[in-house]
Amino acid sequence: MKLLIVEDEKKLRNSLANNIQWEQHGIEIVGMAANGREALQWIESRRPELLLLDIQMPKMNGLQLAEATRALDPTIRCVVLSGHDSFAYAQQAMTLGISHYLLKPAGEAEILSAVLSAADHVRKELEQKHGLARLRERWSQNLPYLQEMLLQNWISGTWDEAELAERGRELQIEWPVGSLLAVAVVDMDEWDEGASSLQGSYPMLQFSLADIARETLAGVSWRVFRDREGATVAVFAAPPETGANALLLHVHTAAVKFIGTVRECLKVTASAGISGVADRPVHLPDLYRQARRSLGERIAHGNDIVIPYRDFGAGGRDSAPPVSPLNRFEASLQTGRGDIAGGLLRELLARDVTETDSSSAGDVQERLIALSGVVARLIHQQGWSIRDVLEDDFELYVHLDRLKSRGQALDWLLRLVARYCTYLQRERNTAIHETVRRMLAIVDEQIGKDITLNDVAERLFVNSSYLSRLFKQEIGKPFSTYVIDKKMERAKQLLQEGCRVYDTADQVGYKDVGYFSRLFHKYWGVTPGEVKDSSR
């Protein structure tokens, strides 16, 4: 919770900010203002949830500030610390929604208690604002997107039947259990950009295609959604007594009509690939791959066409590695889990490729290209150089034909995984350490000024909460404690070199010499003057 202190008396302002253990109670001081006008500027830039303010101040008094704050952001809670025991002031404060009205000199415990009470009030208001009704509304708004994500995971083969049933209940999807199933995958062909009413934007065309599909196939299909490449997937379901051939005829007829509608509406052509038939939802990934493979045949048959599934037979060109292990392989690399990725590599490379099977060298090489391509794509996504990551193994990446056996191929792929994961971890560590190094450099550079975590966060364009956790994790102490340590060490050094107390305070960012002296004595156990005298 962020707190802004507004007090025209400088010593009291510093005392309020530094003598109360705000951080231990989850309160972050985001600024200190000397008057109401200055406070409004802080409110605009830092958006605090809490104000601790005086009433008698120049330019704009505390009650005027509270009124202006209420108009600007009615959720901000104000705690007044006043030197005037005036009923009129207190009555006006209550009409402005001020949480607490404290009289000076209030004790630190009383001030802290009032601020924490106001913070608790803010939290309760937020909970009420974002309550169950609002969450239900947001859930309803996001449900179609979450359902589409679930369906995308389904066709990728991520989950088994039990997981599908559970996740379906969570997202209000009733699976077509006991039905015959078939899949059609529809995507845009090449098109003339000048002829398109959408000016040739391929992603926009894909979006429009899916939108048309939801309307035209709503009554004849079970579900319509987009896959991860943006193509439209339609799942068809029918009772078992319908029969497989009748279902496929139904799918074919619907797909022909659909691509005709696309042609008329979007002035471009699309093609569809149709799967075979299965009788359990868990087989949908297989049906999806069949439909995808059928769609890929348009390279031989031409565009603006609906292509049925043709069974290539076991051991033929259709026996590619399953999508599920390949997706898990990619996900394990993204999270740096080299052990999992290595196990999946063995599974993917061994599947349908044994030392004695009938797969050709070309089939094995295609599988190598696919697996190494996953690693290469992830490297490019990170903005790295493939040569830098792979090092000595880069030459084999360029010349895969030099791998003469499945054992050599597996060893090489395992090295690729190890190199990628090592590089990923090193880059993560470097990125974290670099951020902290920049924070330390800013402290050294700004040692003569007032240094706050918010200022550093704005300078680095990073969230202050993230910086706070990161700094404490890397350095072992809070940022504010580190700043005080550096200032006190620098002050002691300057005094030992003969610098005057006033000048020393100024050089380490303290304009109030009295406050500096008290802080120095509390930190070192001696006064600045005693340190200076001992250096003579």
Side-chain angles (χ1 to χ4, degrees), residues 198-235:
L198 295 175
Q199 300 179 345
S201 169
Y202 187 74
M204 193 177 294
L205 285 170
Q206 285 188 310
F207 177 84
S208 300
L209 186 146
D211 201 45
I212 294 171
R214 291 186 182 97
E215 292 182 8
T216 60
L217 300 178
V220 296
S221 66
W222 174 72
R223 285 274 176 173
V224 175
F225 57 99
R226 299 174 69 193
D227 67 12
R228 288 170 179 167
E229 285 71 44
T232 296
V233 180
V235 180

Side-chain angles (χ1 to χ4, degrees), residues 82 245-246 273 292 427 514 519:
S82 173
N245 291 334
R292 264 286 180 188
E427 287 296 307
L519 183 61

Side-chain angles (χ1 to χ4, degrees), residues 137-337:
E137 180 184 354
R138 293 179 64 186
W139 170 256
S140 177
Q141 291 172 348
N142 286 284
L143 185 58
Y145 171 76
L146 295 172
Q147 289 176 334
E148 181 161 277
M149 292 286 290
L150 173 58
L151 292 167
Q152 288 176 352
N153 281 314
W154 185 20
I155 62 176
S156 72
T158 304
W159 297 312
D160 58 25
E161 283 186 285
E163 290 173 314
L164 281 172
E166 180 182 351
R167 294 178 185 271
R169 285 191 297 270
E170 293 172 353
L171 297 179
Q172 302 172 22
I173 294 178
E174 190 171 335
W175 304 119
V177 178
S179 299
L180 296 178
L181 301 172
V183 171
V185 176
V186 189
D187 204 3
M188 292 293 174
D189 301 321
E190 296 180 3
W191 72 95
D192 179 3
E193 294 186 4
S196 172
S197 60
L198 295 175
Q199 300 179 345
S201 169
Y202 187 74
M204 193 177 294
L205 285 170
Q206 285 188 310
F207 177 84
S208 300
L209 186 146
D211 201 45
I212 294 171
R214 291 186 182 97
E215 292 182 8
T216 60
L217 300 178
V220 296
S221 66
W222 174 72
R223 285 274 176 173
V224 175
F225 57 99
R226 299 174 69 193
D227 67 12
R228 288 170 179 167
E229 285 71 44
T232 296
V233 180
V235 180
F236 296 80
E241 57 268 22
T242 301
N245 291 334
L247 174 59
L248 290 176
L249 179 61
H250 169 71
V251 175
H252 189 277
T253 303
V256 169
K257 183 178 179 179
F258 172 56
I259 66 173
T261 303
V262 172
R263 189 189 318 114
E264 292 298 321
C265 294
L266 301 181
K267 310 304 179 188
V268 296
T269 65
S271 293
I274 298 175
S275 71
V277 175
D279 58 1
R280 290 171 58 194
V282 75
H283 293 313
L284 184 67
D286 297 320
L287 298 179
Y288 169 71
R289 287 199 301 276
Q290 291 171 4
R292 264 286 180 188
R293 186 169 296 278
S294 298
L295 181 60
E297 291 294 307
R298 63 181 162 176
I299 193 172
H301 300 287
N303 297 332
D304 196 20
I305 189 173
V306 176
I307 308 170
Y309 174 67
R310 179 169 60 90
D311 189 359
F312 293 91
R317 302 292 296 180
D318 196 43
S319 56
V323 175
S324 175
L326 191 61
N327 284 347
R328 297 205 307 272
F329 171 68
E330 181 173 344
S332 62
L333 282 177
Q334 289 174 326
T335 55
R337 291 299 306 272

Side-chain angles (χ1 to χ4, degrees), residues 5-20 22 32-34 52 54 81 104 106 108 111 502 510-519:
I5 296 175
V6 190
E7 167 62 56
D8 63 326
E9 186 180 347
K10 189 173 184 179
K11 289 184 178 180
L12 179 55
R13 189 167 66 243
N14 287 328
S15 175
L16 289 171
N18 296 291
N19 290 349
I20 298 176
W22 298 110
M32 294 185 287
L52 177 59
D54 190 9
L81 186 60
K104 298 178 181 177
E108 293 177 1
I111 294 171
Y502 179 87
Y510 296 102
K511 306 305 178 185
D512 186 335
V513 179
Y515 172 72
F516 163 73
S517 297
R518 289 192 298 275
L519 183 61

Side-chain angles (χ1 to χ4, degrees), residues 352-370:
D352 297 331
V353 182
T354 65
E355 297 289 359
T356 59
D357 72 4
S358 59
S359 297
S360 68
D363 291 326
V364 177
Q365 191 170 48
E366 280 188 14
R367 195 164 281 112
L368 282 173
I369 292 171

